[in-house]
Amino acid sequence: VITIGDGDDFREVFKLGTDSWTIDGWFWFDNFSATRAIIQVGRDNGALAIDTTTGGELRIIASGVSLLMTTNSSITAQTWTHIAVTFTDSDNTVRVFIDGSLDSNTATKSTAWDYSSALTVQIGARFFSNSFYYHFIGYMQDFRLTKGLVRYTGNYTPPTAPVEG
């Protein structure tokens, strides 16, 4: 688990608020015997979380507990998968891409991601009620969070070389 605190150095990078953003990278999940977290931005109230179900679907969660969406597509364990989650501010739409394919399910969020309780970022776990859970078991590569830019708006070919910027 990587935890980034609520310091000034990271505040503007991770304070997604109403900006458009993209979270993407390559992921290799050992298994889906339990829910596996990719990232949580914020703690409890106002938090954005991306995790998996035991069936390998991705879930987008707001405020730590409010399910925004579950993908119709699922991920296969023990294989590298490119995952991208985008939020487009102009239409308040959350989209998920698996290996470059836009999932048929989308969600909208009409209120800003506010992180009112804390702006802490957890990569590889979720945090709730003073405890970490849903630990990621596997590998991550080229993980990036891009504030102010929706990198993918339709189907795409996942990058084959290390990402830049």
Side-chain angles (χ1 to χ4, degrees), residues 11-23:
R11 177 170 286 283
E12 289 309 310
V13 173
F14 288 103
K15 188 173 183 182
L16 302 175
T18 58
D19 286 335
S20 295
W21 48 262
T22 302
I23 297 172

Side-chain angles (χ1 to χ4, degrees), residues 84-139:
V85 178
T86 66
F87 174 71
T88 307
D89 178 49
S90 61
D91 63 3
N92 298 315
T93 302
V94 177
R95 293 175 179 85
V96 177
F97 300 83
I98 299 173
D99 282 334
S101 295
L102 175 61
D103 190 79
S104 58
N105 197 9
T106 62
T108 58
K109 181 158 179 9
S110 58
T111 58
W113 309 91
D114 65 8
Y115 318 113
S116 57
S117 61
L119 185 54
T120 306
V121 175
Q122 287 77 225
I123 298 174
R126 297 266 315 274
F127 186 89
F128 190 75
S129 297
N130 296 317
S131 135
F132 291 102
Y133 62 106
Y134 295 161
H135 290 88
F136 182 91
I137 299 175
Y139 305 96

Side-chain angles (χ1 to χ4, degrees), residues 50-70:
I50 302 170
D51 63 22
T52 67
T53 67
T54 56
E57 297 89 4
L58 288 168
R59 298 186 315 172
I60 311 302
I61 299 169
S63 297
V65 294
S66 178
L67 179 66
L68 285 181
M69 69 173 284
T70 302

